[in-house]
C-alpha cells in the first residue's frame, strides 16, 4: 500500500494493499517475531495513558488545588470581563489621550503661522545674529580611517542636560534644539531666516508642556529641511555622515500632502549610459522613499516602447514590500534603443486612467527621468490631460550634458508640474522630494479645511523613544504678495509624538488572562497595538507596517473583522481559529471572542480578544493584614527549602519597584520595597499585589497537602510545579529551581498558555533545532515538562486561574516507556521470553528495540520519548530530523497537517547584491586652475560636488570604478521575511496501520493518539536499508526565498483598506507659473574647501568608504 506523497489528505488503500498489510502483520519474521497486532498496540497505548494520568493525579494536585480555592473563597471575588464595556472604556481613554495631544498640536501650528507672518525677511542676516542650540554641535563623527573629523566652528548655545525617564535620554526643558541636514548649508539666507522666526516656537513648546507634562517630542519640520524639536537633546547620529532629513520622515510626508497616484517613467534609450543611468536608478530609489502606504505607484522604463520594470502591471500600494520589488528591479534597467517620449507618457496616462484597481484617487502625477530630448509630445497631453490638467507632470533632467532642456521645462509648466535638474548624485535627495511643495499648494489654498490632524503608522523614533505614532498638522504660509494674492507654499509640518507604551498603559492586561489581549489597527489594516508587534530592527527608516492578518494566522473570519474595523463599525464575533504558540513551534485550534469599536476622532479602531475561560477572573481581597503578612513570608528565600522555590512575575507592582531581568534580584527588590509599603499603598497596583500574595498562600497550601507527602524519585520526577495568573511560579523541591528554564512571567511561558487552550496533559520537550548536536545526558539531567490547567467552577462561573505539572526525568521515563510498551508484566523478567520460528510471538518495544522503533511524538512533531537510546540525545528535535521516512509517512497519512506563514519583522544579514547596469566613469576632480579660481568655489558645480561627496559616503560605490549596484545602501543587518512552518494534529482517526511502501525497504508502522494528551504513539519497523528515500519535511524557520511570498500575485488580490477621507489636489486659484529651476543653496567656502580636500584624498586613494546608517 503506497502512502501518498504530495498531500496530507488520506487515500483509501486498494484491496490488494489491505491484503498485503494483513499478510505482513500476520507473518512472522525470520527470527520468529511478528509485527505487533493492532489490539496489542492499543493495549500499550492504554497502559501509557493510565501511567501518565496516575502520575498527574497524584502529583499534579488538580483536584486538591480546586479544593484549596474553594476553601479560600472568602479571600477573593470572581469578576467578569464584559468585552463591549472594556472596549468602549479603553477606546474612550485612548481618544482622550490623543485629544490632549491634538490641542497642543493645533496651538503650535497656529502660533507658527502667526510668527512666520509677522517675521520680516532679512537679506543681510548673519549666523552670529541667531542664537540657537545646534543639536549636532556636540556630535562626533569618525572619518573612514577611524580618525575623528575636526568639527566645524559653531555658534551653538552650550547647554547642560539631565537624564529623563520619559524620554530615555538627557534633555534640557528650557530650550529647543535645531537639526539641519548635513547636505544643506546652514549659513544660507533661507536657513538663517527660518531659524530666526522659528525661535519664537520655544515659548509655545514650554507652555504646552506646562499644560500637559506627559507630552513627548514636539517637532516642527520645515519645508527647508530645518527641524526644531523640544525639549533640547543632543542629536543621535551614526558614527558616519548624518543624512537625516525631516522631509523624508514618514510623518512629514503624510502631513505635507494628500495621497498620491504616481507613475515613474525612466528613459533607457542608448544615450542614457554609464553615470547617467546610475543617477536615474538612484533617483527612482529615492523617489520611492517619498511615498507612504497611502500612495500608489508604478515604475516603467521606455525607449521606443514602454514596459514596467517589475511584474506589477498596474498601480500598486507604495508599501514596504512593493517598494522593495521596485528597487530591486530598477537595478536591472539597461540602456539601449532610441527615445520616444510618446510611448512613455501614453503608458503613464493609461496607468492613471485605469479605474478597475484600488488606488489613492487623489493627486495624480507622472515623474519622468531623462537625459534630454526635443519632442514635447503636445498631442499626448491634448489627448489625455487637457484642458482639465488633472495629472501633474514633473520632469527631471539627469546627468551633465548639453541638451536643450526647454522641452522638459515646457512639459512640466504646461501640466501644473515642475522641472528639476539632477546633474550629480548630490542633487538627488533634494530634487526628488521638493515636488511635495507643489502638491502642497491646493492644501495651503484650501486654508482651514485642510487643517486636518492625521495620525501616522507606527515607526521607530529617531531620537530613541522606541515605537511611536505621530499626530501631524500642516503649517501654511499666510503671507500675501503686493497683489494681495495668497501665498501657496507649505511652511512645514508640526508633529507631536505619542509612545506606544503610553497607549498600552491604558489597556487592561492581567485581568484578561494569559491569552487575552487588546489590539488596534489603522485604515490600512496595520496594527498600532498587538502582542505580536515586535519589530527586531531599530532606527529603521521605513514605518513599521505589520498587517493585522500577518500579525495573526489569517482566515475568513479575521478578514471580515478587519474590514468591519476599517469601516469604523463596532461588532462582536465568536470564532474558531488557529493560533501560534508563544515559542512559534506549535499550532492550536482555539475559540476566541473578538469585540471591536472605533476610536473616535482618529483613524484607529480598537479590538479585544478573549478566550471563553477568561470571561471571569479572580480579584483577591486580602483585608486581613495578619494573613497578608503570613502569606508574604512564603515569598522569603528562607522558606524555599521547605516550601519550594518561588519565581515571581516581573510586573510593575509599584511605581518605585526596580525591575530586573534577574528574578532573584527582582525578588530582593520586591521584598525590600514591601518592607516599606503595604499592599494597599496608593503607589502600588493593589489588584496585582493582592493577587500575587493570595497565590503565594494558595500554592504553599498545595505544597503542604500534596507535594511534601510524596517521594518524587519513586515516579522518576525531577520537579513538580504550579504557576498562576497572579504571577507565582512555585517549583518543588527547591533544588529543582537550578534547572528551571521557563519564563518567570506565566503569561510569557509557552507551557502555561498552551495548557489553558488545550484539554488534558500537555508535554513539552526541551526544544532543539535541527543543527543542535544533541543533549548532554552524561553531565545533565534532562526534563520533560507535563502540564495541565486547573479549571474552577464557582457559582456557575468557569475560569482557569492556574496551571500545574511535573517534570519527568528523561532517562528514567524512557526506560519506563519501553516497559509499558512491551508484553512483559510486572512478574516477568527481561529476556525471559523465548521465541522461535515454530512458536512465533509479537515484537515489543523493550525486547525487540533493535528491530522495532517506538516513539512518542508531540502535536508539533517533536520527539518526546523513544525506545532507541541513540534517540535520547535528540529529544526535542523535529521528528523528521530523527527519522525523515517515518515522519513523511505520518504527514502523508494525515496524522499531521501543516501551516505555513511569514514573519515580516525579522532581521537578517545583508545579502550580496548582483552587479547590474552601467558602472560610474569615476568622480570628477577639479583641476588646479579650478581650485585657484574663486568663482568656481562659489558655483553650483562646487556645491553639487560637496553633495556628491556626502552621498559618496552613503553610496560608497560611487568612489569605486568596478560595477556596483546603485542601491547598496548599508552593510549592516536589514529587515527580512522569514518563512515559518508548524505542524499540528489533523482530525484523523485516533489509530491507524499502514505500510511505507518502498520495495524491499518497505516498513510497517502503527500510529495512535494517546487520549487526554498531546502525544502520538508510533510503532514502526526499523528501516532495513537506506535506499528508501523520502522528502525530508522542514520545520525550522528559514529566510524566505526572493519574491516569496509572491508580491506579483498578492497585488492582484489587495487587502481591503481605506485612504484618508479628504483630498486636496485641486484649487482654481493655484498659481502654476513657478514651474522649474535647478539651483540650490549657496555654499560655504570654508566647508567646501575642507571637504574638497578630503574628496581629493578619497579619490586618489580609492579607499572605499563605509555606508552611512539611515535613521
Amino acid at each position: 500500500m503506497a502512502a501518498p506523497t504530495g498531500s496530507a489528505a488520506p487515500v483509501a488503500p486498494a484491496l490488494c494493499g489491505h491484503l498485503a498489510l494483513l499478510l505482513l502483520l500476520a507473518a512472522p519474521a525470520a527470527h520468529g517475531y511478528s509485527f505487533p497486532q493492532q489490539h496489542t498496540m492499543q493495549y500499550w497505548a492504554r497502559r501509557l495513558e493510565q501511567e501518565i494520568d496516575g502520575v498527574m493525579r497524584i502529583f499534579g494536585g488538580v483536584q486538591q488545588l480546586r479544593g484549596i480555592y474553594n476553601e479560600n473563597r472568602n479571600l477573593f471575588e470572581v469578576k467578569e470581563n464584559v468585552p463591549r464595556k472594556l472596549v468602549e472604556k479603553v477606546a474612550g481613554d485612548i481618544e482622550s489621550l490623543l485629544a490632549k495631544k491634538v490641542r497642543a498640536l493645533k496651538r503650535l501650528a497656529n502660533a507658527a503661522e502667526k510668527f512666520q507672518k509677522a517675521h520680516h525677511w532679512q537679506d543681510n542676516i548673519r549666523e552670529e545674529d541667531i542664537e540657537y542650540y545646534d543639536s549636532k554641535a556636540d556630535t562626533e563623527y569618525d572619518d573612514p580611517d577611524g580618525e575623528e573629523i575636526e568639527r566645524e566652528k559653531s555658534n551653538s548655545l552650550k547647554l547642560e542636560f539631565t537624564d529623563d525617564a520619559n524620554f530615555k535620554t538627557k534633555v534640557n526643558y528650557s530650550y529647543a534644539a535645531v537639526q539641519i541636514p548635513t547636505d544643506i548649508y546652514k549659513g544660507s539666507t533661507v536657513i538663517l531666516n527660518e531659524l530666526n522666526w522659528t525661535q519664537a516656537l520655544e515659548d509655545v513648546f514650554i507652555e504646552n508642556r506646562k499644560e500637559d507634562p506627559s507630552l513627548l517630542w514636539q517637532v516642527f519640520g520645515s519645508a527647508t529641511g530645518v527641524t526644531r524639536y523640544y525639549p533640547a537633546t543632543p542629536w543621535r547620529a551614526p558614527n558616519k555622515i548624518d543624512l537625516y532629513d525631516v522631509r523624508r520622515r514618514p510623518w512629514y510626508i503624510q502631513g505635507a500632502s494628500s495621497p498620491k497616484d504616481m507613475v515613474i517613467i525612466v528613459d533607457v534609450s542608448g544615450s542614457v549610459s554609464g553615470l547617467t543611468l546610475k543617477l536615474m536608478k538612484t533617483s527612482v530609489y529615492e523617489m520611492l522613499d517619498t511615498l507612504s502606504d497611502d500612495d500608489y505607484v508604478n515604475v516603467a522604463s521606455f525607449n521606443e516602447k514602454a514596459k514596467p520594470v517589475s511584474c506589477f502591471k498596474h498601480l500598486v500600494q507604495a508599501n514596504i514590500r512593493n517598494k522593495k520589488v521596485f528597487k530591486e528591479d530598477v537595478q536591472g534597467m539597461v540602456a539601449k534603443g532610441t527615445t520616444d517620449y510618446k510611448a512613455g507618457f501614453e503608458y503613464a496616462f493609461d496607468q492613471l486612467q485605469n479605474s478597475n484597481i484600488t488606488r489613492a484617487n487623489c493627486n495624480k502625477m507622472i515623474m519622468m527621468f531623462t537625459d534630454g530630448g526635443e519632442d514635447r509630445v503636445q498631442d499626448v497631453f491634448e489627448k489625455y490631460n487637457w484642458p482639465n490638467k488633472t495629472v501633474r507632470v514633473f520632469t527631471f533632467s539627469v546627468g551633465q550634458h548639453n541638451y536643450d532642456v526647454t522641452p522638459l521645462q515646457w512639459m512640466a509648466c504646461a501640466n501644473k508640474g515642475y522641472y528639476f535638474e539632477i546633474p550629480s548624485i548630490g542633487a538627488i535627495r533634494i530634487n526628488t522630494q521638493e515636488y511635495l511643495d507643489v502638491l502642497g499648494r491646493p492644501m495651503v489654498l484650501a486654508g482651514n479645511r485642510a487643517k486636518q490632524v492625521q495620525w501616522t503608522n507606527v515607526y521607530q523614533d529617531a531620537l530613541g523613544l522606541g515605537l511611536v505614532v505621530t499626530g501631524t498638522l500642516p503649517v501654511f504660509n499666510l503671507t500675501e504678495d503686493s497683489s494681495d494674492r495668497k501665498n501657496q507654499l507649505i511652511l512645514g509640518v508640526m508633529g507631536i509624538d505619542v509612545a506606544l507604551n503610553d497607549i498600552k498603559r491604558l489597556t487592561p492586561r492581567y485581568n484578561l488572562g494569559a491569552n487575552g489581549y487588546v489590539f488596534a489597527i489603522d485604515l490600512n489594516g496595520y496594527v498600532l497595538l498587538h502582542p505580536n508587534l515586535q519589530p527586531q530592527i531599530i532606527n529603521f527608516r521605513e514605518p513599521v507596517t505589520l498587517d493585522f492578518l500577518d500579525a495573526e494566522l489569517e482566515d475568513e473570519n479575521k478578514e471580515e473583522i478587519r474590514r468591519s474595523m476599517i469601516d469604523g463599525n463596532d461588532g462582536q464575533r465568536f470564532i474558531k481559529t488557529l493560533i501560534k504558540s508563544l515559542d512559534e513551534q506549535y499550532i492550536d485550534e482555539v475559540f476566541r471572542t473578538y469585540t471591536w469599536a472605533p476610536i473616535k476622532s482618529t483613524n484607529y479602531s480598537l479590538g479585544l480578544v478573549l478566550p471563553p475561560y477568561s470571561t471571569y477572573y479572580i480579584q483577591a481581597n486580602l483585608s486581613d493584614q495578619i494573613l497578608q503578612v503570613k502569606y508574604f513570608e512564603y515569598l522569603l528565600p528562607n522558606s524555599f527549602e521547605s516550601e519550594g522555590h518561588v519565581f515571581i512575575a516581573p510586573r510593575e507592582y509599584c511605581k518605585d519597584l526596580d525591575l530586573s531581568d534577574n528574578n532573584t534580584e527582582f525578588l530582593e527588590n520586591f521584598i525590600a520595597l514591601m518592607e516599606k509599603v503595604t499592599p494597599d499603598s496608593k503607589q502600588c497596583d493593589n489588584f496585582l499585589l493582592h493577587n500575587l500574595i493570595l497565590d503565594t498562600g494558595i500554592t504553599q497550601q498545595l505544597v503542604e497537602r500534596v507535594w511534601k507527602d510524596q517521594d518524587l524519585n519513586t515516579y522518576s520526577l525531577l520537579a513538580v510545579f504550579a504557576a498562576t495568573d497572579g504571577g507565582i511560579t512555585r517549583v518543588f523541591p527547591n533544588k529543582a529551581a537550578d534547572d528551571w528554564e521557563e519564563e518567570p512571567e506565566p503569561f510569557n511561558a509557552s507551557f502555561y498558555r498552551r495548557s489553558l487552550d488545550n484539554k488534558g496533559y500537555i508535554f513539552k520537550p526541551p526544544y532543539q533545532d535541527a543543527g543542535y548536536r544533541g543533549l548532554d545526558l552524561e553531565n545533565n539531567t534532562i526534563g520533560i515538562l507535563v502540564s495541565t490547567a486547573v479549571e474552577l467552577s464557582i457559582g456557575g462561573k468557569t475560569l482557569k486561574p492556574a496551571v500545574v505539572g511535573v517534570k519527568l526525568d528523561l532517562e528514567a521515563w524512557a526506560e519506563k516507556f519501553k516497559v509499558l510498551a512491551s508484553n512483559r508484566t510486572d512478574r516477568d523478567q527481561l529476556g525471559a521470553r523465548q521465541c522461535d520460528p515454530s512458536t512465533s510471538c509479537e515484537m515489543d518495544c523493550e525486547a525487540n528495540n533493535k528491530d522495532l522503533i517506538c516513539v512518542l511524538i508531540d502535536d508539533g512533531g517533536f520527539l518526546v520519548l523513544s525506545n532507541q537510546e541513540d534517540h535520547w540525545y535528540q529529544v526535542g528535535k523535529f521528528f523528521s530530523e530523527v527519522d525523515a521516512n517515518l515522519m513523511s509517512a505520518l504527514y502523508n497519512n494525515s496524522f499531521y497537517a501543516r501551516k505555513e506563514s511569514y514573519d515580516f519583522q525579522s532581521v537578517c544579514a545583508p545579502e550580496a547584491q548582483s552587479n547590474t547596469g552601467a558602472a560610474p566613469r569615476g568622480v570628477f576632480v577639479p583641476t588646479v586652475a579650478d581650485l585657484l579660481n574663486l568663482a568656481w568655489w562659489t558655483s553650483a558645480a562646487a556645491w553639487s560636488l560637496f553633495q556628491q561627496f556626502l552621498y559618496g559616503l552613503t553610496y560608497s560605490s560611487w568612489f569605486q570604478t568596478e560595477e556596483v549596484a546603485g542601491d547598496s545602501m548599508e552593510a549592516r543587518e536589514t529587515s527580512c521575511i522569514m518563512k515559518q512552518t508548524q505542524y499540528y494534529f489533523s482530525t484523523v482517526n485516533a489509530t491507524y496501520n499502514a505500510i511505507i511502501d518502498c520495495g524491499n525497504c518497505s516498513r510497517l508502522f502503527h500510529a495512535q493518539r494517546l487520549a487526554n494528551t498531546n502525544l502520538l504513539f508510533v510503532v514502526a519497523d526499523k528501516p532495513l536499508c537506506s535506499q528508501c528515500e523520502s522528502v525530508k519535511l522542514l520545520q525550522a524557520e528559514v529566510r524566505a526565498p526572493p519574491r516569496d511570498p509572491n508580491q506579483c500575485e498578492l497585488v492582484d488580490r489587495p487587502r481591503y483598506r481605506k485612504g484618508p477621507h479628504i483630498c486636496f489636489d485641486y484649487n482654481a486659484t493655484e498659481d502654476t507659473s513657478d514651474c522649474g529651476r535647478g539651483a540650490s543653496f549657496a555654499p560655504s567656502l570654508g566647508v567646501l574647501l575642507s571637504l574638497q580636500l578630503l574628496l581629493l584624498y578619497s579619490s586618489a586613494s580609492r579607499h572605499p568608504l563605509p555606508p552611512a546608517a539611515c535613521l
Side-chain angles (χ1 to χ4, degrees), residues 451-752:
K451 292 292 188 64
Q452 302 285 336
V453 175
Q454 296 188 69
W455 290 95
T456 66
N457 296 329
V458 177
Y459 69 96
Q460 290 280 0
D461 173 50
L463 287 169
L465 274 182
L467 294 179
V468 299
V469 292
T470 299
T472 66
L473 198 59
V475 179
F476 301 153
N477 189 331
L478 301 183
T479 59
E480 297 175 347
D481 62 18
S482 56
S483 306
D484 293 333
R485 285 188 306 180
K486 289 178 65 176
N487 194 297
Q488 55 185 19
L489 288 178
I490 187 169
L491 288 176
V493 178
M494 199 68 71
I496 287 184
D497 287 348
V498 179
L500 284 199
N501 284 336
D502 289 343
I503 299 177
K504 285 180 184 176
R505 291 190 185 98
L506 301 176
T507 64
R509 175 66 183 100
Y510 297 106
N511 59 299
L512 301 182
N515 290 317
Y517 58 91
V518 170
F519 70 98
I521 67 173
D522 64 14
L523 293 180
N524 277 302
Y526 298 146
V527 293
L528 164 74
L529 299 174
H530 198 285
N532 294 336
L533 179 63
Q534 298 174 352
Q536 301 299 307
I537 196 162
I538 60 171
N539 285 337
F540 193 50
R541 65 178 185 174
E542 296 278 10
V544 180
T545 52
L546 179 67
D547 196 284
F548 169 64
L549 297 178
D550 294 324
E552 306 197 356
L553 293 177
E554 182 176 356
D555 60 35
E556 289 184 6
N557 284 312
K558 291 175 184 175
E559 285 181 23
E560 293 171 9
I561 290 168
R562 178 182 176 275
R563 176 183 285 265
S564 179
M565 294 179 73
I566 290 173
D567 285 340
N569 301 323
D570 55 17
Q572 187 174 75
R573 182 175 292 193
F574 182 69
I575 67 173
K576 181 165 71 172
T577 187
L578 297 179
I579 64 167
K580 285 183 198 174
S581 64
L582 195 64
D583 56 14
E584 299 185 324
Q585 305 300 327
Y586 299 90
I587 294 285
D588 290 314
E589 188 175 59
V590 300
F591 290 97
R592 296 287 188 264
T593 298
Y594 280 72
T595 309
W596 63 92
I599 302 173
K600 296 176 182 176
S601 303
T602 73
N603 292 330
Y604 302 133
S605 183
L606 186 79
L608 169 67
V609 181
L610 211 59
Y613 50 80
S614 292
T615 302
Y616 300 99
Y617 63 95
I618 284 175
Q619 179 173 301
N621 183 20
L622 295 177
S623 55
D624 186 341
Q625 293 190 351
I626 295 176
L627 192 61
Q628 285 182 17
V629 173
K630 177 184 175 183
Y631 283 0
F632 179 75
E633 287 178 351
Y634 297 130
L635 280 176
L636 302 178
N638 59 18
S639 72
F640 289 176
E641 196 59 43
S642 61
E643 312 299 328
H645 193 99
V646 174
F647 297 92
I648 66 171
R651 302 173 181 174
E652 295 183 27
Y653 300 100
C654 299
K655 291 179 181 177
D656 294 336
L657 178 60
D658 293 328
L659 299 178
S660 172
D661 292 333
N662 183 304
N663 201 257
T664 301
E665 184 178 315
F666 178 71
L667 180 60
E668 291 173 355
N669 296 342
F670 177 80
I671 293 170
L673 183 63
M674 288 297 99
E675 291 173 350
K676 302 175 185 177
V677 300
T678 68
D680 300 308
S681 170
K682 290 183 179 180
Q683 66 159 298
C684 296
D685 186 319
N686 304 139
F687 170 75
L688 289 184
L689 267 180
H690 278 252
N691 278 23
L692 180 80
I693 294 172
L694 172 67
D695 286 356
T696 304
I698 283 179
T699 55
Q700 186 274 336
Q701 291 175 47
L702 182 66
V703 175
E704 292 294 331
R705 298 189 188 185
V706 180
W707 297 348
K708 277 188 176 180
D709 296 335
Q710 302 293 339
D711 181 9
L712 272 62
N713 292 327
T714 302
Y715 290 87
S716 306
L717 303 182
L718 300 175
V720 288
F721 61 90
T724 70
D725 276 0
I728 291 293
T729 302
R730 189 179 290 275
V731 180
F732 184 88
N734 182 42
K735 64 179 181 180
D738 296 339
D739 299 318
W740 187 257
E741 296 179 350
E742 306 303 318
E743 288 285 340
E745 169 57 83
F747 285 16
N748 292 340
S750 185
F751 82 87
Y752 191 86

Side-chain angles (χ1 to χ4, degrees), residues 36 60-61 71 95 160 351 365 447 460 464 637 747 757 760 764 799 819 846 942 1012 1025 1052 1084:
E71 290 171 16
E95 180 190 355
E160 293 184 356
Q351 289 276 300
M365 68 203 67
Q460 290 280 0
F747 285 16
D757 272 329
K764 178 180 177 289
L799 62 160
V819 173
E846 181 186 30
N1012 210 35
C1025 51
D1052 290 327
S1084 160

